Amino acid sequence: GRRWLPLAFLALRTAIGVFARFGREQSDARTRANSRMVEYIQGIPVIRAFNLGGARLGQFQRALDSYRVTSRRTTTAIAPAFTIFIATVEIGFAVLILVGAWLFSSGALSAPVFLLLLVLASAFYAPLLAVGDAIAVQRMMQNSVRNVNAFLRSPLLPEAIQPQQAQGFAIAFEKVFFDYGEGQPVLNDVSFRIPERSITALVGPSGSGKSTITNLIARFWDVTGGRVSVGGVDVRELSADTLLGMMTMVFQDVYLFNDTIGNNIRLGKPTASDAEVEQAARLAQIHSFIADLPQGYDTVVGEGGNTLSGGQKQRISIARAILKDAPIVLLDEATASIDPENEQLIQQAFNALAAQKTLVIIAHRLTTIQQADQILVLEAGQIVEHGSHDTLIANDGLYRRFWRERAKARDWKLGASLPATADSTHA
């Protein structure tokens, strides 16, 4: 019997390994199918607008087909083992009853012993059948644990061993290089200084590195080379709580949680009173809209704020930033979703937000940054121009070309460049 014990353990271990492998394949196929489902549902407006239902639905259908094939293969591979296991338990129980009845009838077993045998057999029968379900649950848990472990093993930005305290809120980039690990530099030898309590604008074409600069200031990433400092201290030598506590960020793409408007604003300062939340909303020019809602500040905005317009979400995010009242403010094209009627009011809110603060703003609307203390013009990951609006306009450089193009865009009219049609000729 002892000779067979290692073989039994080996067989059990092999079976568990096979089940785990098929379980991983099924889990991966299910993840891909779920991803396609979410993508398809979220992209329905775009799919319908461009009449791409068949093409996009085809990708979703292929993901479901892959999941179905994988599930069928997993079931086909595992089913024989489970069938043999359950059949063995069922047949063994039946044989035990028959043998016990034969022994009892032949007088080899007394009635009490026979009844005890039946009770013990019943007590072992149900748990043995439950082992099959337990193996399936164990397989699902194993896949879940695998995903959690993969997440926990993801590399983290190292925390400062001996965190230092920033001396002020000036920002400096010193010969900064950065790439996202793809070998293509996003920032290449970038150096500049943002004085405390000043306004600095970042201008440049898409992909020039503007958003990357704000991400490095907040230390969402670490530089590949060089140094980023806040208050004279390398951001890598500041604790994450200290660094982010000094900053307020307003992004172009605003995300609101599926909670009330008041609680979404209160993210800027969890201990804020209702009066402070309302004051921040007034400064962000959103209070009147909120007050007109049936539940006011207790209105739930839905997942991602899907019950609000882009401009309303943007103003709520501005109210959140005003409430936090941090000494450094990062604005990433924050007026992109604001309608012209409210743009001036939002600019006034920005002025209140940026008062006596170190402000870094990314803007494509050059008219909003004319009063900036300095403008950094980026191209291909490098600073190609640096100065005030008047200085850059006087130079025949990239900023001046941007300004001219924006001026042309303001004068553009629908149909102005369209060729004349037969009807227009007769008109």
Side-chain angles (χ1 to χ4, degrees):
R2 292 181 178 179
R3 290 181 301 175
W4 293 102
L5 191 59
L7 295 177
F9 276 114
L10 179 61
L12 179 61
R13 184 175 180 180
T14 302
I16 292 176
V18 172
F19 292 163
R21 179 170 59 85
F22 282 110
R24 285 194 298 269
E25 293 179 0
Q26 187 179 22
S27 177
D28 292 340
R30 181 170 57 248
T31 300
R32 290 192 295 270
N34 289 338
S35 176
R36 287 296 184 187
M37 181 186 300
V38 172
E39 177 190 53
Y40 184 79
I41 293 174
Q42 291 181 340
I44 283 177
V46 177
I47 293 170
R48 290 178 60 87
F50 290 92
N51 196 25
L52 297 174
R56 302 304 297 183
L57 185 58
Q59 294 181 4
F60 176 39
Q61 188 62 49
R62 285 192 293 273
L64 290 180
D65 291 341
S66 174
Y67 179 44
R68 182 173 61 252
V69 170
T70 305
S71 298
R72 185 184 299 146
R73 184 169 63 246
T74 301
T75 303
T76 303
I78 294 177
F82 275 112
T83 302
I84 293 173
F85 172 76
I86 293 175
T88 301
V89 173
E90 296 282 2
I91 293 173
F93 184 69
V95 169
L96 183 63
I97 294 177
L98 291 175
V99 171
W102 177 73
L103 292 174
F104 173 71
S105 62
S106 64
L109 287 178
S110 63
V113 173
F114 180 55
L115 291 176
L116 178 62
L117 182 64
L118 291 180
V119 170
L120 291 176
S122 300
F124 280 101
Y125 173 73
L128 284 175
L129 288 181
V131 168
D133 295 333
I135 292 176
V137 173
Q138 186 267 347
R139 189 176 69 250
M140 291 186 292
M141 292 178 62
Q142 191 176 39
N143 290 327
S144 299
V145 170
R146 177 174 62 92
N147 295 333
V148 171
N149 287 337
F151 173 76
L152 294 177
R153 284 194 296 266
S154 299
L156 301 176
L157 291 177
E159 276 283 349
I161 299 176
Q162 294 181 337
Q164 300 185 26
Q165 293 296 322
Q167 305 299 318
F169 308 108
I171 301 170
F173 275 52
E174 302 172 21
K175 298 185 178 299
V176 169
F177 292 82
F178 179 76
D179 65 72
Y180 288 101
E182 301 173 354
Q184 183 67 28
V186 179
L187 295 180
N188 187 9
D189 195 15
V190 172
S191 298
F192 61 85
R193 187 176 185 277
I194 299 176
E196 187 173 333
R197 296 187 179 89
S198 68
I199 300 176
T200 297
L202 305 177
V203 176
S206 297
S208 59
K210 303 184 299 297
S211 295
T212 300
I213 287 178
T214 58
N215 289 336
L216 292 179
I217 294 173
R219 208 196 168 199
F220 292 161
W221 300 85
D222 268 344
V223 297
T224 307
R227 180 175 184 263
V228 178
S229 64
V230 174
V233 179
D234 193 314
V235 293
R236 291 168 292 191
E237 298 176 359
L238 294 168
S239 68
D241 290 341
T242 299
L243 179 63
L244 295 177
M246 294 190 295
M247 297 182 183
T248 293
M249 287 162 277
V250 180
F251 299 108
Q252 179 178 352
D253 298 322
V254 177
Y255 187 86
L256 300 181
F257 292 94
N258 187 19
D259 203 341
T260 65
I261 292 177
N263 286 340
N264 271 283
I265 295 176
R266 196 174 272 108
L267 287 175
K269 183 181 177 182
T271 59
S273 64
D274 291 342
E276 290 176 308
V277 171
E278 181 178 327
Q279 178 62 18
R282 289 182 182 276
L283 292 174
Q285 311 301 323
I286 191 68
H287 171 73
S288 59
F289 162 75
I290 299 174
D292 290 338
L293 296 174
Q295 284 79 37
Y297 285 85
D298 293 326
T299 302
V300 177
V301 299
E303 184 177 357
N306 55 22
T307 62
L308 304 177
S309 69
Q312 291 163 350
K313 291 193 293 185
Q314 191 66 269
R315 280 178 282 173
I316 288 176
S317 72
I318 294 171
R320 188 159 57 194
I322 291 174
L323 187 62
K324 185 176 182 180
D325 194 26
I328 298 175
V329 180
L330 307 178
L331 303 178
D332 189 351
E333 191 53 35
T335 60
S337 301
I338 303 301
D339 54 274
E341 180 182 356
N342 292 315
E343 184 174 356
Q344 184 177 0
L345 297 176
I346 295 301
Q347 290 300 327
Q348 294 175 1
F350 282 153
N351 291 336
L353 173 63
Q356 301 299 313
K357 292 180 173 59
T358 304
L359 175 64
V360 181
I361 179 171
I362 298 173
H364 294 293
R365 297 183 182 182
L366 302 185
T367 54
T368 63
I369 58 171
Q370 288 180 259
Q371 304 304 318
D373 297 299
Q374 64 174 343
I375 299 173
L376 306 179
V377 184
L378 290 98
E379 186 177 25
Q382 293 183 312
I383 296 178
V384 294
E385 289 186 281
H386 172 215
S388 65
H389 170 78
D390 294 336
T391 301
L392 296 177
I393 286 294
N395 298 333
D396 189 15
L398 182 61
Y399 182 83
R400 184 174 178 178
R401 293 199 297 273
F402 279 162
W403 186 264
R404 288 176 176 174
E405 291 299 325
R406 291 297 172 183
K408 291 179 182 179
R410 287 196 300 270
D411 296 334
W412 179 84
K413 296 179 181 179
L414 183 63
S417 59
L418 297 177
T421 62
D423 292 339
S424 63
T425 303
H426 291 300

